[in-house]
Amino acid sequence: MAVLPIVKYPDPRLRAASEPVENFDDGLKQLAADMAETMLDAPGAGLAAPQVGRLVRLVVITGVENDENYDDRVITLVNPRLVRTEGEQLYDEGCLSVVDFNEKVLRAAEVEVEAQDLDGKPFTMKADGRRAVILQHELDHLDGVLFIDRISRLKRDIYQRKLKKMQKDAAHD
Ligand code: NI
């Protein structure tokens, strides 16, 4: 396994629509293992393949114990699809690809996701609370959507100004 470099906004790879996985081969298992290691190393609660520069529909999330803690039991979702949503919740989100920024995002309160495991076997996952947020956030990545697309324009502009300043400061170091 290996920790992979994480692609950072505004890299255009974060804006691409990812391709469905068709071959459940060793390459896929290797990528999933590397993504799991990368996520746990960051640490983060979820990671989508485009965030390591691979435009395939593959997501890893941690095994969430409760709203505060997560552990290192990684769940892998191949070709995940949101098949049901219910209610609304406002939840503070961040992203390993969007550095130094958190903002509240309106999401569905409950979700049902259909996916395949690394052998291609279909399964269904139901989630609410924080895990429902993580699933929606990671599935968005597969369509080139970031959480900053789901906040107000004003707040997004504030982040973009902050990012420009960070890049300028970094250039002066
Ligand atoms: Ni993210």
mmCIF file of all heavy atoms in Angstrom, residues 44-93:
data_model
loop_
_atom_site.group_PDB
_atom_site.id
_atom_site.type_symbol
_atom_site.label_atom_id
_atom_site.label_comp_id
_atom_site.label_asym_id
_atom_site.label_seq_id
_atom_site.Cartn_x
_atom_site.Cartn_y
_atom_site.Cartn_z
ATOM 1 N N GLY A 44 -8.711 11.565 6.951
ATOM 2 C CA GLY A 44 -10.014 12.010 6.490
ATOM 3 C C GLY A 44 -11.027 10.910 6.715
ATOM 4 O O GLY A 44 -10.666 9.782 7.031
ATOM 5 N N ALA A 45 -12.303 11.236 6.524
ATOM 6 C CA ALA A 45 -13.380 10.270 6.750
ATOM 7 C C ALA A 45 -13.891 9.672 5.449
ATOM 8 O O ALA A 45 -14.703 8.758 5.459
ATOM 9 C CB ALA A 45 -14.521 10.941 7.499
ATOM 10 N N GLY A 46 -13.396 10.204 4.327
ATOM 11 C CA GLY A 46 -13.813 9.679 3.032
ATOM 12 C C GLY A 46 -12.859 10.175 1.957
ATOM 13 O O GLY A 46 -12.202 11.204 2.125
ATOM 14 N N LEU A 47 -12.760 9.406 0.882
ATOM 15 C CA LEU A 47 -11.895 9.821 -0.228
ATOM 16 C C LEU A 47 -12.449 9.209 -1.520
ATOM 17 O O LEU A 47 -12.831 8.042 -1.551
ATOM 18 C CB LEU A 47 -10.460 9.329 0.007
ATOM 19 C CG LEU A 47 -9.379 9.864 -0.936
ATOM 20 C CD1 LEU A 47 -9.074 11.346 -0.650
ATOM 21 C CD2 LEU A 47 -8.075 9.056 -0.810
ATOM 22 N N ALA A 48 -12.477 10.026 -2.565
ATOM 23 C CA ALA A 48 -12.960 9.565 -3.865
ATOM 24 C C ALA A 48 -11.789 9.511 -4.840
ATOM 25 O O ALA A 48 -10.847 10.310 -4.744
ATOM 26 C CB ALA A 48 -14.042 10.508 -4.389
ATOM 27 N N ALA A 49 -11.833 8.572 -5.787
ATOM 28 C CA ALA A 49 -10.701 8.338 -6.685
ATOM 29 C C ALA A 49 -10.197 9.594 -7.421
ATOM 30 O O ALA A 49 -8.984 9.754 -7.569
ATOM 31 C CB ALA A 49 -11.053 7.219 -7.672
ATOM 32 N N PRO A 50 -11.090 10.508 -7.864
ATOM 33 C CA PRO A 50 -10.567 11.708 -8.537
ATOM 34 C C PRO A 50 -9.624 12.521 -7.651
ATOM 35 O O PRO A 50 -8.772 13.249 -8.158
ATOM 36 C CB PRO A 50 -11.833 12.518 -8.860
ATOM 37 C CG PRO A 50 -12.949 11.553 -8.804
ATOM 38 C CD PRO A 50 -12.555 10.455 -7.861
ATOM 39 N N GLN A 51 -9.769 12.365 -6.324
ATOM 40 C CA GLN A 51 -8.901 13.112 -5.402
ATOM 41 C C GLN A 51 -7.469 12.589 -5.398
ATOM 42 O O GLN A 51 -6.573 13.235 -4.857
ATOM 43 C CB GLN A 51 -9.462 13.055 -3.983
ATOM 44 C CG GLN A 51 -10.782 13.795 -3.833
ATOM 45 C CD GLN A 51 -11.256 13.775 -2.401
ATOM 46 O OE1 GLN A 51 -11.917 12.835 -1.983
ATOM 47 N NE2 GLN A 51 -10.892 14.787 -1.630
ATOM 48 N N VAL A 52 -7.265 11.402 -5.980
ATOM 49 C CA VAL A 52 -5.893 10.933 -6.189
ATOM 50 C C VAL A 52 -5.600 10.874 -7.692
ATOM 51 O O VAL A 52 -4.687 10.175 -8.138
ATOM 52 C CB VAL A 52 -5.610 9.580 -5.496
ATOM 53 C CG1 VAL A 52 -5.673 9.746 -3.979
ATOM 54 C CG2 VAL A 52 -6.576 8.491 -5.948
ATOM 55 N N GLY A 53 -6.402 11.618 -8.457
ATOM 56 C CA GLY A 53 -6.131 11.775 -9.883
ATOM 57 C C GLY A 53 -6.611 10.629 -10.756
ATOM 58 O O GLY A 53 -6.238 10.552 -11.925
ATOM 59 N N ARG A 54 -7.449 9.744 -10.210
ATOM 60 C CA ARG A 54 -7.961 8.617 -10.994
ATOM 61 C C ARG A 54 -9.452 8.810 -11.221
ATOM 62 O O ARG A 54 -10.232 8.864 -10.270
ATOM 63 C CB ARG A 54 -7.701 7.301 -10.233
ATOM 64 C CG ARG A 54 -6.203 7.029 -10.038
ATOM 65 C CD ARG A 54 -5.526 6.573 -11.327
ATOM 66 N NE ARG A 54 -6.074 5.322 -11.766
ATOM 67 C CZ ARG A 54 -5.664 4.114 -11.354
ATOM 68 N NH1 ARG A 54 -4.668 4.014 -10.488
ATOM 69 N NH2 ARG A 54 -6.229 3.026 -11.803
ATOM 70 N N LEU A 55 -9.845 8.924 -12.483
ATOM 71 C CA LEU A 55 -11.223 9.301 -12.791
ATOM 72 C C LEU A 55 -12.105 8.072 -12.959
ATOM 73 O O LEU A 55 -12.643 7.796 -14.039
ATOM 74 C CB LEU A 55 -11.244 10.203 -14.026
ATOM 75 C CG LEU A 55 -10.439 11.507 -13.849
ATOM 76 C CD1 LEU A 55 -10.475 12.356 -15.101
ATOM 77 C CD2 LEU A 55 -10.918 12.295 -12.643
ATOM 78 N N VAL A 56 -12.234 7.315 -11.867
ATOM 79 C CA VAL A 56 -13.095 6.129 -11.837
ATOM 80 C C VAL A 56 -14.035 6.217 -10.631
ATOM 81 O O VAL A 56 -13.724 6.866 -9.631
ATOM 82 C CB VAL A 56 -12.279 4.816 -11.757
ATOM 83 C CG1 VAL A 56 -11.525 4.593 -13.049
ATOM 84 C CG2 VAL A 56 -11.341 4.818 -10.555
ATOM 85 N N ARG A 57 -15.174 5.518 -10.756
ATOM 86 C CA ARG A 57 -16.217 5.644 -9.740
ATOM 87 C C ARG A 57 -15.921 4.708 -8.561
ATOM 88 O O ARG A 57 -16.479 3.621 -8.432
ATOM 89 C CB ARG A 57 -17.593 5.408 -10.359
ATOM 90 C CG ARG A 57 -17.860 6.380 -11.512
ATOM 91 C CD ARG A 57 -19.264 6.347 -12.048
ATOM 92 N NE ARG A 57 -20.180 7.153 -11.244
ATOM 93 C CZ ARG A 57 -20.329 8.469 -11.375
ATOM 94 N NH1 ARG A 57 -19.630 9.159 -12.268
ATOM 95 N NH2 ARG A 57 -21.175 9.105 -10.614
ATOM 96 N N LEU A 58 -15.037 5.170 -7.709
ATOM 97 C CA LEU A 58 -14.553 4.416 -6.563
ATOM 98 C C LEU A 58 -14.401 5.368 -5.372
ATOM 99 O O LEU A 58 -13.824 6.442 -5.515
ATOM 100 C CB LEU A 58 -13.200 3.775 -6.919
ATOM 101 C CG LEU A 58 -12.409 3.094 -5.818
ATOM 102 C CD1 LEU A 58 -13.155 1.887 -5.266
ATOM 103 C CD2 LEU A 58 -11.041 2.646 -6.353
ATOM 104 N N VAL A 59 -14.949 4.932 -4.233
ATOM 105 C CA VAL A 59 -14.950 5.760 -3.028
ATOM 106 C C VAL A 59 -14.575 4.889 -1.836
ATOM 107 O O VAL A 59 -14.981 3.723 -1.768
ATOM 108 C CB VAL A 59 -16.375 6.358 -2.813
ATOM 109 C CG1 VAL A 59 -16.607 6.787 -1.384
ATOM 110 C CG2 VAL A 59 -16.633 7.515 -3.775
ATOM 111 N N VAL A 60 -13.805 5.436 -0.910
ATOM 112 C CA VAL A 60 -13.590 4.765 0.376
ATOM 113 C C VAL A 60 -14.074 5.689 1.489
ATOM 114 O O VAL A 60 -13.931 6.901 1.403
ATOM 115 C CB VAL A 60 -12.108 4.376 0.615
ATOM 116 C CG1 VAL A 60 -11.674 3.285 -0.345
ATOM 117 C CG2 VAL A 60 -11.177 5.587 0.521
ATOM 118 N N ILE A 61 -14.671 5.085 2.523
ATOM 119 C CA ILE A 61 -15.062 5.849 3.709
ATOM 120 C C ILE A 61 -14.626 5.053 4.938
ATOM 121 O O ILE A 61 -14.430 3.841 4.870
ATOM 122 C CB ILE A 61 -16.586 6.130 3.772
ATOM 123 C CG1 ILE A 61 -17.395 4.841 3.863
ATOM 124 C CG2 ILE A 61 -17.029 6.942 2.561
ATOM 125 C CD1 ILE A 61 -18.878 5.070 4.138
ATOM 126 N N THR A 62 -14.489 5.770 6.054
ATOM 127 C CA THR A 62 -14.116 5.059 7.279
ATOM 128 C C THR A 62 -15.356 4.468 7.929
ATOM 129 O O THR A 62 -16.481 4.898 7.680
ATOM 130 C CB THR A 62 -13.440 5.999 8.289
ATOM 131 O OG1 THR A 62 -14.313 7.090 8.528
ATOM 132 C CG2 THR A 62 -12.106 6.481 7.783
ATOM 133 N N GLY A 63 -15.144 3.499 8.768
ATOM 134 C CA GLY A 63 -16.230 2.945 9.562
ATOM 135 C C GLY A 63 -16.547 3.904 10.687
ATOM 136 O O GLY A 63 -15.748 4.072 11.602
ATOM 137 N N VAL A 64 -17.693 4.574 10.590
ATOM 138 C CA VAL A 64 -18.010 5.608 11.567
ATOM 139 C C VAL A 64 -18.685 4.974 12.781
ATOM 140 O O VAL A 64 -19.691 4.298 12.664
ATOM 141 C CB VAL A 64 -18.936 6.677 10.952
ATOM 142 C CG1 VAL A 64 -19.246 7.750 11.976
ATOM 143 C CG2 VAL A 64 -18.278 7.282 9.728
ATOM 144 N N GLU A 65 -18.118 5.209 13.954
ATOM 145 C CA GLU A 65 -18.682 4.683 15.191
ATOM 146 C C GLU A 65 -19.838 5.540 15.655
ATOM 147 O O GLU A 65 -20.876 5.062 16.051
ATOM 148 C CB GLU A 65 -17.607 4.681 16.277
ATOM 149 C CG GLU A 65 -16.460 3.752 15.966
ATOM 150 C CD GLU A 65 -16.563 2.473 16.762
ATOM 151 O OE1 GLU A 65 -16.873 2.571 17.947
ATOM 152 O OE2 GLU A 65 -16.343 1.406 16.185
ATOM 153 N N ASN A 66 -19.622 6.856 15.642
ATOM 154 C CA ASN A 66 -20.671 7.808 16.008
ATOM 155 C C ASN A 66 -20.310 9.141 15.355
ATOM 156 O O ASN A 66 -19.427 9.195 14.520
ATOM 157 C CB ASN A 66 -20.801 7.924 17.531
ATOM 158 C CG ASN A 66 -19.475 8.283 18.178
ATOM 159 O OD1 ASN A 66 -18.800 9.193 17.732
ATOM 160 N ND2 ASN A 66 -19.112 7.569 19.215
ATOM 161 N N ASP A 67 -20.983 10.205 15.764
ATOM 162 C CA ASP A 67 -20.768 11.490 15.091
ATOM 163 C C ASP A 67 -19.365 12.048 15.283
ATOM 164 O O ASP A 67 -18.897 12.851 14.497
ATOM 165 C CB ASP A 67 -21.785 12.523 15.586
ATOM 166 C CG ASP A 67 -23.086 12.392 14.816
ATOM 167 O OD1 ASP A 67 -23.150 11.542 13.920
ATOM 168 O OD2 ASP A 67 -24.026 13.133 15.125
ATOM 169 N N GLU A 68 -18.693 11.648 16.356
ATOM 170 C CA GLU A 68 -17.402 12.262 16.674
ATOM 171 C C GLU A 68 -16.214 11.416 16.218
ATOM 172 O O GLU A 68 -15.179 11.946 15.832
ATOM 173 C CB GLU A 68 -17.289 12.469 18.191
ATOM 174 C CG GLU A 68 -18.365 13.366 18.776
ATOM 175 C CD GLU A 68 -18.377 14.755 18.138
ATOM 176 O OE1 GLU A 68 -17.294 15.277 17.845
ATOM 177 O OE2 GLU A 68 -19.487 15.278 17.917
ATOM 178 N N ASN A 69 -16.354 10.120 16.295
ATOM 179 C CA ASN A 69 -15.186 9.263 16.105
ATOM 180 C C ASN A 69 -15.288 8.413 14.852
ATOM 181 O O ASN A 69 -16.377 8.005 14.469
ATOM 182 C CB ASN A 69 -15.033 8.325 17.302
ATOM 183 C CG ASN A 69 -14.870 9.102 18.582
ATOM 184 O OD1 ASN A 69 -14.043 9.991 18.648
ATOM 185 N ND2 ASN A 69 -15.679 8.788 19.573
ATOM 186 N N TYR A 70 -14.163 8.157 14.250
ATOM 187 C CA TYR A 70 -14.155 7.175 13.187
ATOM 188 C C TYR A 70 -12.950 6.272 13.378
ATOM 189 O O TYR A 70 -11.995 6.621 14.051
ATOM 190 C CB TYR A 70 -14.175 7.810 11.799
ATOM 191 C CG TYR A 70 -13.123 8.843 11.526
ATOM 192 C CD1 TYR A 70 -11.884 8.486 11.036
ATOM 193 C CD2 TYR A 70 -13.385 10.191 11.751
ATOM 194 C CE1 TYR A 70 -10.927 9.434 10.780
ATOM 195 C CE2 TYR A 70 -12.416 11.149 11.484
ATOM 196 C CZ TYR A 70 -11.198 10.768 11.005
ATOM 197 O OH TYR A 70 -10.248 11.699 10.747
ATOM 198 N N ASP A 71 -13.062 5.094 12.845
ATOM 199 C CA ASP A 71 -11.990 4.134 13.074
ATOM 200 C C ASP A 71 -11.404 3.710 11.733
ATOM 201 O O ASP A 71 -11.712 4.284 10.692
ATOM 202 C CB ASP A 71 -12.504 2.943 13.883
ATOM 203 C CG ASP A 71 -13.641 2.228 13.181
ATOM 204 O OD1 ASP A 71 -13.651 2.206 11.935
ATOM 205 O OD2 ASP A 71 -14.515 1.696 13.870
ATOM 206 N N ASP A 72 -10.550 2.713 11.762
ATOM 207 C CA ASP A 72 -9.818 2.391 10.543
ATOM 208 C C ASP A 72 -10.410 1.196 9.787
ATOM 209 O O ASP A 72 -9.745 0.599 8.955
ATOM 210 C CB ASP A 72 -8.327 2.188 10.832
ATOM 211 C CG ASP A 72 -8.107 1.095 11.853
ATOM 212 O OD1 ASP A 72 -9.102 0.466 12.276
ATOM 213 O OD2 ASP A 72 -6.951 0.884 12.231
ATOM 214 N N ARG A 73 -11.675 0.880 10.065
ATOM 215 C CA ARG A 73 -12.333 -0.130 9.236
ATOM 216 C C ARG A 73 -12.858 0.575 7.983
ATOM 217 O O ARG A 73 -13.806 1.340 8.053
ATOM 218 C CB ARG A 73 -13.505 -0.769 9.978
ATOM 219 C CG ARG A 73 -13.076 -1.661 11.138
ATOM 220 C CD ARG A 73 -14.279 -2.093 11.916
ATOM 221 N NE ARG A 73 -15.017 -0.908 12.365
ATOM 222 C CZ ARG A 73 -16.247 -0.945 12.863
ATOM 223 N NH1 ARG A 73 -16.895 -2.076 12.940
ATOM 224 N NH2 ARG A 73 -16.845 0.162 13.271
ATOM 225 N N VAL A 74 -12.232 0.325 6.876
ATOM 226 C CA VAL A 74 -12.563 1.074 5.662
ATOM 227 C C VAL A 74 -13.628 0.336 4.855
ATOM 228 O O VAL A 74 -13.576 -0.883 4.705
ATOM 229 C CB VAL A 74 -11.295 1.285 4.814
ATOM 230 C CG1 VAL A 74 -11.633 1.934 3.477
ATOM 231 C CG2 VAL A 74 -10.295 2.137 5.582
ATOM 232 N N ILE A 75 -14.613 1.094 4.383
ATOM 233 C CA ILE A 75 -15.645 0.548 3.514
ATOM 234 C C ILE A 75 -15.388 1.083 2.105
ATOM 235 O O ILE A 75 -15.183 2.282 1.915
ATOM 236 C CB ILE A 75 -17.039 0.963 4.003
ATOM 237 C CG1 ILE A 75 -17.288 0.404 5.412
ATOM 238 C CG2 ILE A 75 -18.127 0.507 3.028
ATOM 239 C CD1 ILE A 75 -18.419 1.070 6.137
ATOM 240 N N THR A 76 -15.365 0.172 1.148
ATOM 241 C CA THR A 76 -15.100 0.550 -0.241
ATOM 242 C C THR A 76 -16.386 0.452 -1.045
ATOM 243 O O THR A 76 -17.093 -0.557 -0.966
ATOM 244 C CB THR A 76 -14.034 -0.389 -0.841
ATOM 245 O OG1 THR A 76 -12.863 -0.318 -0.031
ATOM 246 C CG2 THR A 76 -13.684 0.023 -2.265
ATOM 247 N N LEU A 77 -16.676 1.498 -1.802
ATOM 248 C CA LEU A 77 -17.871 1.512 -2.645
ATOM 249 C C LEU A 77 -17.452 1.698 -4.104
ATOM 250 O O LEU A 77 -16.840 2.712 -4.450
ATOM 251 C CB LEU A 77 -18.823 2.636 -2.234
ATOM 252 C CG LEU A 77 -19.374 2.573 -0.804
ATOM 253 C CD1 LEU A 77 -18.641 3.560 0.082
ATOM 254 C CD2 LEU A 77 -20.870 2.858 -0.784
ATOM 255 N N VAL A 78 -17.784 0.712 -4.923
ATOM 256 C CA VAL A 78 -17.489 0.780 -6.349
ATOM 257 C C VAL A 78 -18.794 1.089 -7.086
ATOM 258 O O VAL A 78 -19.832 0.484 -6.784
ATOM 259 C CB VAL A 78 -16.890 -0.553 -6.847
ATOM 260 C CG1 VAL A 78 -16.493 -0.439 -8.314
ATOM 261 C CG2 VAL A 78 -15.696 -0.960 -5.998
ATOM 262 N N ASN A 79 -18.733 2.017 -8.027
ATOM 263 C CA ASN A 79 -19.911 2.434 -8.804
ATOM 264 C C ASN A 79 -21.107 2.776 -7.908
ATOM 265 O O ASN A 79 -22.237 2.326 -8.165
ATOM 266 C CB ASN A 79 -20.314 1.336 -9.807
ATOM 267 C CG ASN A 79 -19.225 1.053 -10.824
ATOM 268 O OD1 ASN A 79 -18.497 1.957 -11.230
ATOM 269 N ND2 ASN A 79 -19.098 -0.198 -11.239
ATOM 270 N N PRO A 80 -20.892 3.586 -6.860
ATOM 271 C CA PRO A 80 -21.998 3.892 -5.955
ATOM 272 C C PRO A 80 -23.035 4.809 -6.607
ATOM 273 O O PRO A 80 -22.677 5.676 -7.407
ATOM 274 C CB PRO A 80 -21.305 4.615 -4.791
ATOM 275 C CG PRO A 80 -20.094 5.228 -5.391
ATOM 276 C CD PRO A 80 -19.648 4.289 -6.483
ATOM 277 N N ARG A 81 -24.303 4.570 -6.250
ATOM 278 C CA ARG A 81 -25.399 5.404 -6.760
ATOM 279 C C ARG A 81 -26.330 5.732 -5.612
ATOM 280 O O ARG A 81 -26.705 4.850 -4.832
ATOM 281 C CB ARG A 81 -26.212 4.646 -7.832
ATOM 282 C CG ARG A 81 -25.501 4.446 -9.154
ATOM 283 C CD ARG A 81 -26.435 3.788 -10.166
ATOM 284 N NE ARG A 81 -27.008 2.545 -9.634
ATOM 285 C CZ ARG A 81 -28.316 2.308 -9.517
ATOM 286 N NH1 ARG A 81 -29.203 3.200 -9.883
ATOM 287 N NH2 ARG A 81 -28.758 1.152 -9.021
ATOM 288 N N LEU A 82 -26.727 7.004 -5.558
ATOM 289 C CA LEU A 82 -27.708 7.437 -4.566
ATOM 290 C C LEU A 82 -29.076 7.018 -5.080
ATOM 291 O O LEU A 82 -29.514 7.475 -6.135
ATOM 292 C CB LEU A 82 -27.612 8.963 -4.468
ATOM 293 C CG LEU A 82 -27.991 9.702 -3.201
ATOM 294 C CD1 LEU A 82 -27.281 9.141 -1.991
ATOM 295 C CD2 LEU A 82 -27.682 11.176 -3.378
ATOM 296 N N VAL A 83 -29.763 6.128 -4.363
ATOM 297 C CA VAL A 83 -31.048 5.647 -4.867
ATOM 298 C C VAL A 83 -32.230 6.198 -4.075
ATOM 299 O O VAL A 83 -33.376 6.113 -4.521
ATOM 300 C CB VAL A 83 -31.110 4.103 -4.912
ATOM 301 C CG1 VAL A 83 -30.132 3.577 -5.956
ATOM 302 C CG2 VAL A 83 -30.839 3.489 -3.553
ATOM 303 N N ARG A 84 -31.962 6.756 -2.888
ATOM 304 C CA ARG A 84 -33.059 7.334 -2.114
ATOM 305 C C ARG A 84 -32.504 8.388 -1.170
ATOM 306 O O ARG A 84 -31.427 8.205 -0.590
ATOM 307 C CB ARG A 84 -33.761 6.245 -1.285
ATOM 308 C CG ARG A 84 -35.090 6.667 -0.666
ATOM 309 C CD ARG A 84 -35.676 5.519 0.150
ATOM 310 N NE ARG A 84 -34.853 5.202 1.310
ATOM 311 C CZ ARG A 84 -34.915 5.837 2.469
ATOM 312 N NH1 ARG A 84 -35.766 6.827 2.648
ATOM 313 N NH2 ARG A 84 -34.134 5.482 3.475
ATOM 314 N N THR A 85 -33.204 9.498 -1.053
ATOM 315 C CA THR A 85 -32.823 10.512 -0.065
ATOM 316 C C THR A 85 -34.076 10.935 0.685
ATOM 317 O O THR A 85 -35.183 10.859 0.150
ATOM 318 C CB THR A 85 -32.210 11.773 -0.726
ATOM 319 O OG1 THR A 85 -33.189 12.377 -1.576
ATOM 320 C CG2 THR A 85 -30.969 11.435 -1.527
ATOM 321 N N GLU A 86 -33.869 11.378 1.916
ATOM 322 C CA GLU A 86 -35.005 11.842 2.689
ATOM 323 C C GLU A 86 -34.570 12.937 3.658
ATOM 324 O O GLU A 86 -33.502 12.850 4.269
ATOM 325 C CB GLU A 86 -35.602 10.668 3.475
ATOM 326 C CG GLU A 86 -37.049 10.913 3.873
ATOM 327 C CD GLU A 86 -37.706 9.651 4.419
ATOM 328 O OE1 GLU A 86 -37.575 8.584 3.773
ATOM 329 O OE2 GLU A 86 -38.307 9.743 5.495
ATOM 330 N N GLY A 87 -35.414 13.965 3.790
ATOM 331 C CA GLY A 87 -35.189 15.017 4.777
ATOM 332 C C GLY A 87 -34.021 15.921 4.424
ATOM 333 O O GLY A 87 -33.457 15.844 3.325
ATOM 334 N N GLU A 88 -33.667 16.763 5.358
ATOM 335 C CA GLU A 88 -32.579 17.716 5.166
ATOM 336 C C GLU A 88 -31.770 17.835 6.450
ATOM 337 O O GLU A 88 -32.305 17.677 7.542
ATOM 338 C CB GLU A 88 -33.142 19.108 4.852
ATOM 339 C CG GLU A 88 -33.663 19.277 3.438
ATOM 340 C CD GLU A 88 -34.173 20.690 3.191
ATOM 341 O OE1 GLU A 88 -34.436 21.439 4.160
ATOM 342 O OE2 GLU A 88 -34.316 21.041 2.017
ATOM 343 N N GLN A 89 -30.499 18.136 6.298
ATOM 344 C CA GLN A 89 -29.660 18.475 7.453
ATOM 345 C C GLN A 89 -28.593 19.449 6.995
ATOM 346 O O GLN A 89 -28.155 19.425 5.840
ATOM 347 C CB GLN A 89 -29.029 17.225 8.076
ATOM 348 C CG GLN A 89 -28.110 16.455 7.150
ATOM 349 C CD GLN A 89 -27.433 15.275 7.834
ATOM 350 O OE1 GLN A 89 -27.120 15.314 9.012
ATOM 351 N NE2 GLN A 89 -27.192 14.211 7.071
ATOM 352 N N LEU A 90 -28.188 20.299 7.932
ATOM 353 C CA LEU A 90 -27.127 21.264 7.672
ATOM 354 C C LEU A 90 -25.910 20.770 8.440
ATOM 355 O O LEU A 90 -25.983 20.594 9.659
ATOM 356 C CB LEU A 90 -27.572 22.648 8.166
ATOM 357 C CG LEU A 90 -26.904 23.883 7.583
ATOM 358 C CD1 LEU A 90 -27.000 23.913 6.066
ATOM 359 C CD2 LEU A 90 -27.531 25.137 8.175
ATOM 360 N N TYR A 91 -24.814 20.534 7.727
ATOM 361 C CA TYR A 91 -23.672 19.894 8.370
ATOM 362 C C TYR A 91 -22.384 20.593 7.924
ATOM 363 O O TYR A 91 -22.233 20.939 6.750
ATOM 364 C CB TYR A 91 -23.630 18.413 7.978
ATOM 365 C CG TYR A 91 -22.969 17.528 9.015
ATOM 366 C CD1 TYR A 91 -23.726 16.787 9.917
ATOM 367 C CD2 TYR A 91 -21.584 17.448 9.079
ATOM 368 C CE1 TYR A 91 -23.114 15.986 10.874
ATOM 369 C CE2 TYR A 91 -20.966 16.652 10.032
ATOM 370 C CZ TYR A 91 -21.741 15.923 10.920
ATOM 371 O OH TYR A 91 -21.140 15.133 11.861
ATOM 372 N N ASP A 92 -21.491 20.777 8.858
ATOM 373 C CA ASP A 92 -20.221 21.453 8.566
ATOM 374 C C ASP A 92 -19.296 20.501 7.806
ATOM 375 O O ASP A 92 -18.965 19.437 8.311
ATOM 376 C CB ASP A 92 -19.571 21.880 9.888
ATOM 377 C CG ASP A 92 -18.599 23.027 9.693
ATOM 378 O OD1 ASP A 92 -18.923 23.941 8.921
ATOM 379 O OD2 ASP A 92 -17.519 23.013 10.305
ATOM 380 N N GLU A 93 -18.898 20.892 6.599
ATOM 381 C CA GLU A 93 -18.076 20.017 5.769
ATOM 382 C C GLU A 93 -16.720 20.633 5.451
ATOM 383 O O GLU A 93 -16.567 21.843 5.384
ATOM 384 C CB GLU A 93 -18.783 19.725 4.427
ATOM 385 C CG GLU A 93 -20.021 18.896 4.601
ATOM 386 C CD GLU A 93 -20.641 18.474 3.274
ATOM 387 O OE1 GLU A 93 -19.909 18.236 2.293
ATOM 388 O OE2 GLU A 93 -21.884 18.392 3.249
#
